[in-house]
Amino acid sequence: MAFTLHYLGKIPLPIRVVGFLVVGLALGFSFPHHEAVNMLFVSGTYFPKTIVTFAAFLIFNLLSAAMAKLMLFHKDKAGKMFGLIFTMYLVMGLISLLYVTGWIALFATVPFTLPGVEVPGPLAWVTQIGETFANILTQQPLLQALVGAMFVGWLSAKFERLHRIAYGFVAIGDGILWFFKKLLWYYPIMIGCLAIGIPMKFGAKGMALYGQGVLWVMLTTCIWVVCMMFACRLLTKRTWKQILSYYGAVWPTGFGTGGSYDTLAVNIISAEQDLGLKEDIAEVSIVFGTVLNKNCSTMSVLIVTIIVSQLLNIPISLTEIIMMIPPVMILGLESPGIPGGAGYFMSPIIAVLLGVPDQATYVTTFVAVFSGLIPMFSTAGNTTDDGVIGAFLQDHFGHLLESAKEVVHPMAVPVKEVV
């Protein structure tokens, strides 16, 4: 076993990821009913389920550590950095939804408005957005963990009496990342096991519309990714070699796992090694992006909304899609970064917004369609966008982190680079 892992470790991570992915797809396609193949698929779900179980704990500690580091080592400029990161992810989420709406208008046969249906006014629109915000803050533990982590990290680093707590968060955060980096050898194997479920997931019924949805998601997200690569080249100091190396490592990993949390360690390592990001920038930008940035997932949600409505013969208009942009963007800021998480969380809201008569059937169908390849393409786009944002921040706003030299505290856990 050790001999095999030793030689596998010499193969570049992107090649391992793609190789295991192809093997998994082949097994699922060739032996869809074989018990051993099904057991392999089930084994691949254990790690993502574990990550989901402890997601709030992991995010709370990682973001508390990131906030504490900024406050301890860069003091008053930390708030500006976090505000800037949040604003950039918010703006990118809005741009991506406007972008995909243009594609929907181009390739979907939906009318601008439905005959005899009144278009909601601005007041109803604003009220809907306010209710969405209130529901998120009171009902979603991940957003509560995010807000709590920022506050606790800031508080523990702000007051000298609490610095010991702040350094404790730094040590825990470094320890979590160290643990995930030690599990990098397992990522390609897990990806291969999860890939088995793609050809096993769907039967003949609905496959045509599902294939259409996959095609639209693939087209929109891949073109978006190419645009982001050019933006990274034009707006940052990164070379094409750095950009292609980063995308070559992170895009296949995000595609293979279908979950932002499962891609977190690979994303941070590649951002540091391939894009040349500083540790503080990489950790803060990508950890924040893992929680907040689901822009490609929200793009996919709007596309799947069209597909499911057509599948269930529910009339839908382009006006309704446009009206869904603000709430979907808000929900995307904290939807779970797990395979298919956006589908599970957003589908009940979409059903309410569309006023469908049978919400249970709509949600069930939505979750079924928002699976397999769709979250894989979505996650690949989400995760690589995080690195581009980090590169832009470092090149244009890096001075916000240059106010003080980082001091290594004895409580901190050293993180060795993965060779």
Side-chain angles (χ1 to χ4, degrees), residues 97-182:
L97 286 173
L98 293 174
Y99 157 86
V100 78
T101 301
W103 278 106
I104 289 174
L106 180 64
F107 54 48
T109 55
V110 293
F112 185 75
T113 58
L114 295 176
V117 177
E118 183 180 354
V119 178
L123 181 60
W125 194 29
V126 173
T127 302
Q128 173 182 296
I129 296 172
E131 291 175 351
T132 302
F133 263 122
N135 290 334
I136 288 174
L137 287 172
T138 57
Q139 299 177 12
Q140 298 306 315
L142 283 178
L143 187 63
Q144 294 168 3
L146 173 65
V147 175
M150 292 174 60
F151 175 74
V152 171
W154 171 83
L155 185 69
S156 62
K158 179 71 174 177
F159 299 99
E160 188 173 352
R161 293 181 179 179
L162 301 177
H163 278 188
R164 189 171 184 84
I165 297 176
Y167 283 116
F169 278 122
V170 172
I172 293 173
D174 288 344
I176 291 173
L177 293 177
W178 174 87
F179 174 75
F180 275 97
K181 289 175 182 179
K182 289 296 183 182

Side-chain angles (χ1 to χ4, degrees), residues 35-364:
E35 184 177 354
V37 174
N38 183 66
M39 290 176 63
L40 283 175
F41 164 69
V42 173
S43 70
T45 65
Y46 293 149
F47 184 70
K49 288 178 180 178
T50 303
I51 296 298
V52 172
T53 302
F54 296 101
F57 169 81
L58 295 173
I59 292 300
F60 181 85
N61 282 280
L62 287 172
L63 282 180
S64 295
M67 175 61 91
K69 279 185 178 180
L70 286 178
M71 290 295 294
L72 288 170
F73 306 137
H74 308 290
K75 305 194 181 209
D76 296 334
K77 296 187 178 182
K80 295 180 181 179
M81 178 59 71
F82 270 94
L84 183 62
I85 292 174
F86 180 83
T87 301
M88 291 192 69
Y89 282 127
L90 190 68
V91 170
M92 186 171 64
L94 176 60
I95 292 173
S96 64
L97 286 173
L98 293 174
Y99 157 86
V100 78
T101 301
W103 278 106
I104 289 174
L106 180 64
F107 54 48
T109 55
V110 293
F112 185 75
T113 58
L114 295 176
V117 177
E118 183 180 354
V119 178
L123 181 60
W125 194 29
V126 173
T127 302
Q128 173 182 296
I129 296 172
E131 291 175 351
T132 302
F133 263 122
N135 290 334
I136 288 174
L137 287 172
T138 57
Q139 299 177 12
Q140 298 306 315
L142 283 178
L143 187 63
Q144 294 168 3
L146 173 65
V147 175
M150 292 174 60
F151 175 74
V152 171
W154 171 83
L155 185 69
S156 62
K158 179 71 174 177
F159 299 99
E160 188 173 352
R161 293 181 179 179
L162 301 177
H163 278 188
R164 189 171 184 84
I165 297 176
Y167 283 116
F169 278 122
V170 172
I172 293 173
D174 288 344
I176 291 173
L177 293 177
W178 174 87
F179 174 75
F180 275 97
K181 289 175 182 179
K182 289 296 183 182
L183 288 177
L184 281 179
W185 62 269
Y186 175 66
Y187 277 80
I189 299 173
M190 178 185 67
I191 291 168
C193 293
L194 290 174
I196 293 172
I198 296 174
M200 296 172 61
K201 184 78 174 180
F202 298 95
K205 184 178 180 180
M207 282 301 297
L209 275 175
Y210 173 74
Q212 179 178 302
V214 170
L215 181 62
W216 288 358
V217 168
M218 180 182 69
L219 178 67
T220 55
T221 57
C222 288
I223 292 177
W224 172 267
V225 164
V226 172
C227 291
M228 290 297 291
M229 292 174 69
F230 275 97
C232 185
R233 181 67 184 92
L234 294 173
L235 301 178
T236 74
K237 300 175 182 178
R238 300 305 173 279
T239 65
W240 277 117
K241 180 179 179 181
Q242 288 178 299
I243 295 171
L244 293 175
S245 295
Y246 172 73
Y247 274 84
V250 179
W251 196 95
T253 305
F255 179 84
T257 62
S260 298
Y261 296 148
D262 301 320
T263 317
L264 178 61
V266 174
N267 205 352
I268 291 177
I269 293 171
S270 183
E272 294 177 6
Q273 296 182 351
D274 297 321
L275 286 182
L277 299 190
K278 296 179 181 178
E279 183 179 350
D280 284 344
I281 293 285
E283 290 184 9
V284 173
S285 173
I286 290 171
V287 170
F288 229 69
T290 298
V291 179
L292 293 177
N293 178 34
K294 306 296 185 305
N295 62 314
C296 287
S297 294
T298 54
M299 289 162 53
S300 301
V301 164
L302 291 187
I303 290 175
V304 171
T305 298
I306 295 291
I307 298 299
V308 173
S309 297
Q310 292 178 348
L311 188 62
L312 299 179
N313 298 317
I314 297 173
I316 189 169
S317 67
L318 191 61
T319 300
E320 290 175 297
I321 292 295
I322 295 173
M323 294 294 289
M324 278 193 283
I325 288 178
V328 167
M329 182 180 67
I330 295 167
L331 294 169
L333 292 176
E334 57 77 55
S335 63
I338 60 176
Y344 282 102
F345 178 65
M346 293 191 191
S347 53
I349 307 298
I350 298 296
V352 172
L353 293 177
L354 292 179
V356 299
D358 188 348
Q359 294 183 8
T361 301
Y362 190 91
V363 169
T364 303

